[in-house]
Structures are given as C-alpha cells and as structure tokens.
Amino acid sequence: MSQPDAIIIGTGVIGAAIAFEMSKAGWKTLSLDRNTQVGHGSTAGSCAIIRMHYSTFDGTAFAWEGYHYWRDWAEYLGLPVETNLAQFRETGCLVMKTAANEFLEKHKKYSTELDCPFEEWGAEQIKDRLPVYTLDSFAPAKRMDDPDFGQPNGGHMEGAVYWPQAGYVTDPALSAQNLMDAAKLHGARLRTGAEVVEILTAGGRVSGVRLASGEEIHSKVVINVAGPGSAIINRMAGVLDDMTIETRPLRQEVVHVPAPDGFDFEQDGTIVSDSDIACYCRPEHGNHILIGSEDPECDPHQWCEDDVNYNHDFTDQWTTQAMRYAQRVPSLGIPSKTRGVVDLYDASTDWIPIYDKSSLPGFYMACGTSGNQYKNAPIAGKMMTSLIDYCEGGADHDADPLQFELPYIKRSINVGFYSRKRPINEESSFSVLG
C-alpha cells in the first residue's frame, strides 16, 4: 500500500485500536512498527490493569467506558470464534484510603456521578479478603537505606474503596494482536520491521514518512502512536514548539514474587492500590504477585534519552518495591532470583495522555499513554478516529474542541481535556497503576 489514507506509527494496544476503529470507519490504514511483532513494544510489558477509579471526572468517565469493551472483548472484535483471544479477569480493585489520595472523596464522587459501582470497605472486610495483610501504616514511603524503613508510624489503615468490576488482561501483547487482526478484516494493512526515520511534509502539511531503508510512503495523515518513542517522532515532525505537555521515556521496574504460603493470591487476591506503601499489585500466573511502584517522591525518576538505549537489568529498585510490599504482607517470601519486567513508560508532563492534532496539519498524536491508558485503548481508538475526521473535515479543534460521546455510558467529554496545549492538570495524581 504505497499511498494509504493514513499511516499509523506503532502497533501497541492503542495503535492497533486506532487501526481497527479507523479501518471500520472506511479509512485505508497502514500501520508501521520497527518491531517484528505486533504488541511487542511497551504494551508487552504492561501490567494491563483495567480499572475505573480516577481523580478527575474525565479520566473516570473514559475508564468506565473503556471497561465495557474488555468485558465484551469477543463481541467487540468480531473475529472468528476459534481465534485465541486475550482474557480479561475481573478480580476487582481495592484502593486504600490515605491522606495522599484525599481518602478517595473525588474518586467516589465521580464514580457516583457516572453510576460506576463501588463499595466502601472497613478494616475487617480488607482482612477477610486478604488475610495475609497487616493494616499498620508506614507512610510516607521510604527507601531501604532510611533507618525508619519498615517501621510502622503508629497509625492504621482505616478502610478502602473496592471497585468490583476492575481486573486485568492476562496477555497484553495478544490483545494488541487481536485488535490488529480485527483491523485487517476491515482492510487495514501492516508492516513490521519498518522503522520511521523522517516525517515528510509538502505544502505546509504532512505528506508521509521515510523509512530506515530509504523508502518513502506518502499519506496526508500520519498518527504518532509510538509509545516511548513518541517524543522522537514528534521532534522529527517539528511539532514541539506549541506543546505545553510533552512526553519522555521513563524507566520502570515491576516485581514478580510468589504469593505467601497458604494463600492463593491468583484465585483469591485482587488488584490493590496502596499509596501508604507506594505500591500497587495484582495477581499473576502461577500464584505470583506482580508489584509496581506508585512513584513516591523519595524514588528518583529514571528518564531516558531514547527508547532503545537504557538499562534492561534490575536494580535495587526491584528489592525496594518487594520490601515495601512486604511491609503490608509480612509473610511474603522475597526470592534471591529477581523476576519481573524492566520497560519504559511513555510519560507525559502531568501523566495524562495527549490525544490531539498538532501544529503540522495532518499529523496527529496519541502519546503519553503508558501506565494509565492500556484499559482505554478501544475507546481511545474510537475517539482518535472521530478527532481525525473532525479536523480533516475542516474544524479547528484547538479553538472549538471536539465533544465526543462515549457510546456505552452516554456521556459526552471535551476532547480538549487531552490537548497538547493544556495547562498542567493539577488534579492529576501524577502516578499510575501501570
């Protein structure tokens, strides 16, 4: 396909969702990825958590909408019945009430407004579900070289909020492959092993891309969904000057440890967000627990210059996260062999994604999505398709932002919330459940 209607750079879960939704809408799309397999960038390292609690109304609405596509995954895709599909496990998500999250008052308020079910849990209910937990408070989070690390502060966790329909997807790379296979049914084309090295322009708008091989592919629409490589692609396009929100690759480590003896965390556990110890966790295959960081202030951010050259090995951050979680689960065994994931986030300035046009006509971006937007991939694909139709139809999204209706929950959101030119959103939690 030498002249597609749109070139999509990236075949992670969001890039694949955009290809699916645009091809359904009649666009002739060509997806390019320098990896040799769909979904094998940062999507493959995702914890693939499907949650609906957010500290902003728009974030909550988008995530609550997004849940429904995972619930109805097979129906949404329309693939042949024998297709191997990614599985959504509905485990629920328990969020500890802390001063850091303002005891979840905003989260409860927005969930109530959107008819998104949640439950208030006291200490007894938490212990019933997670009998291996202790509810001592350890805040603020500390590093292991702090002499007070692991010492309770004298307080106790008084309760939590539980969102019963949350869960996780067992194979995030497969979910991206499912989306791309569904897109192909509608005519989408794909090229892997194709690295974009230049964004082409002509007559004041984007005109295509040049690949590392020297080949040029021409199109009047190019969409940057390059994950942790998005900043480099935006720089190639020369669109950084009017952006108040930018993206950078951020290195992350996720820990996999066995569940404590006598407790089947894979079957009986749940996702837990615990800002008291600055960790989140979820069940993992083989009765393991996956432990991620909620990025406390005491931990240095490990920003990377690009998305290729970074340390792929575990560091003392692995042990720090395991030990932080062991404060909550004293019977946790911490193995001498480190297991888990080292990968990159495509992190925006305020941890809220950019779904937007750019200063270069025809060049669009779905960036800064890592760690918090996996769950939203299907609805992000729908919204980006509407945004591109809106702008290519002559509308000025900067001056008159698209109002987009979320099909399941019948709420309209202002897509300007995700603008590249927005002020930094101070209501953001500035952290993620990756």
Side-chain angles (χ1 to χ4, degrees):
M1 188 182 286
S2 59
Q3 273 200 297
D5 297 335
I7 293 169
I8 302 168
I9 304 172
T11 64
V13 69
I14 293 179
I18 292 172
F20 179 39
E21 290 295 342
M22 288 188 74
S23 62
K24 282 197 295 184
W27 289 79
K28 295 175 184 175
T29 65
L30 173 62
S31 294
L32 303 174
D33 201 305
R34 70 172 182 218
N35 292 310
T36 56
Q37 279 188 282
V38 168
H40 275 233
S42 59
T43 288
S46 173
C47 298
I49 289 172
I50 310 300
R51 62 168 168 125
M52 45 286 296
H53 70 277
Y54 269 83
S55 55
T56 64
F57 178 83
D58 299 83
T60 309
F62 211 48
W64 178 222
E65 172 74 22
Y67 152 80
H68 296 82
Y69 300 88
W70 299 104
R71 183 194 68 184
D72 302 334
W73 190 234
E75 181 184 338
Y76 170 59
L77 295 170
L79 288 166
V81 291
E82 67 275 9
T83 306
N84 180 27
L85 298 181
Q87 300 298 309
F88 171 48
R89 283 200 67 215
E90 201 165 288
T91 61
C93 179
L94 185 70
V95 188
M96 297 293 191
K97 291 182 181 179
T98 68
N101 58 34
E102 298 175 350
F103 303 98
L104 299 170
E105 291 304 322
K106 283 182 183 174
H107 304 72
K108 292 186 294 180
K109 174 175 179 276
Y110 298 140
S111 286
T112 299
E113 288 178 23
L114 290 161
D115 297 319
C116 175
F118 65 89
E119 302 166 12
E120 298 259 15
W121 282 21
E124 203 170 291
Q125 282 172 286
I126 298 171
K127 292 283 286 182
D128 282 347
R129 178 67 179 265
L130 299 167
V132 293
Y133 266 43
T134 178
L135 296 182
D136 292 328
S137 175
F138 297 90
K142 304 169 187 69
R143 295 195 66 76
M144 287 196 309
D145 57 6
D146 189 307
D148 290 331
F149 182 86
Q151 297 299 316
N153 62 27
H156 291 86
M157 309 306 295
E158 299 300 332
V161 180
Y162 180 68
W163 278 266
Q165 289 161 297
Y168 68 93
V169 173
T170 55
D171 189 337
L174 179 59
S175 69
Q177 292 156 16
N178 292 161
L179 284 161
M180 189 54 71
D181 287 345
K184 288 177 184 176
L185 291 182
H186 296 271
R189 300 290 293 274
L190 164 70
R191 285 179 60 179
T192 54
E195 182 178 3
V196 174
V197 296
E198 186 180 348
I199 302 298
L200 304 176
T201 60
R205 70 172 288 137
V206 76
S207 63
V209 302
R210 179 177 286 114
L211 303 181
S213 64
E215 178 186 358
E216 292 186 3
I217 306 173
H218 296 281
S219 177
K220 290 186 175 181
V221 170
V222 175
I223 308 152
N224 178 9
V225 206
S230 69
I232 293 171
I233 300 294
N234 283 338
R235 200 174 304 128
M236 285 180 194
V239 299
L240 297 176
D241 287 350
D242 76 339
M243 295 175 64
T244 56
I245 306 295
E246 296 185 8
T247 62
R248 294 161 72 188
L250 177 63
R251 184 181 176 280
Q252 292 280 311
E253 298 183 32
V254 175
V255 175
H256 292 192
V257 295
D261 288 343
F263 184 65
D264 191 338
F265 200 92
E266 185 177 1
Q267 291 303 313
D268 301 327
T270 183
I271 298 163
V272 184
S273 169
D274 191 342
S275 54
D276 183 76
I277 56 170
C279 285
Y280 66 87
C281 72
R282 74 155 172 81
E284 180 57 295
H285 304 301
N287 197 23
H288 276 64
I289 304 174
L290 179 156
I291 306 164
S293 172
E294 294 192 356
D295 294 303
E297 288 184 13
C298 61
D299 287 0
H301 278 138
Q302 300 177 51
W303 299 106
C304 303
E305 287 302 311
D306 59 53
D307 59 328
V308 176
N309 302 296
Y310 66 96
N311 179 10
H312 292 70
D313 297 325
F314 292 112
T315 67
D316 63 356
Q317 182 65 27
W318 188 98
T319 312
T320 297
Q321 286 171 210
M323 293 291 279
R324 280 184 183 143
Y325 189 63
Q327 295 172 122
R328 185 67 66 225
V329 184
S331 59
L332 188 73
I334 299 179
S336 56
K337 185 175 180 181
T338 53
R339 291 185 56 196
V341 176
V342 179
D343 213 324
L344 298 177
Y345 282 165
D346 182 27
S348 79
T349 309
D350 59 4
W351 295 83
I352 293 170
I354 303 169
Y355 295 123
D356 203 0
K357 57 173 275 194
S358 73
S359 58
L360 175 64
F363 184 82
Y364 298 87
M365 57 185 85
C367 304
T369 56
S370 296
N372 57 33
Q373 292 294 298
Y374 174 91
K375 71 190 75 59
N376 292 335
I379 189 58
K382 285 184 183 295
M383 188 174 75
M384 284 298 298
T385 301
S386 291
L387 174 65
I388 293 164
D389 282 336
Y390 184 68
C391 295
E392 293 302 306
D396 184 346
H397 176 62
D398 285 342
D400 184 17
L402 171 68
Q403 306 300 306
F404 177 69
E405 184 174 277
L406 302 170
Y408 268 99
I409 67 172
K410 304 300 182 191
R411 294 293 184 113
S412 189
I413 61 171
N414 179 353
V415 184
F417 176 80
Y418 298 104
S419 169
R420 72 199 184 282
K421 300 170 77 171
R422 66 180 181 263
I424 292 173
N425 191 322
E426 298 299 339
E427 288 193 341
S428 170
S429 64
F430 294 92
S431 66
V432 295
L433 274 72

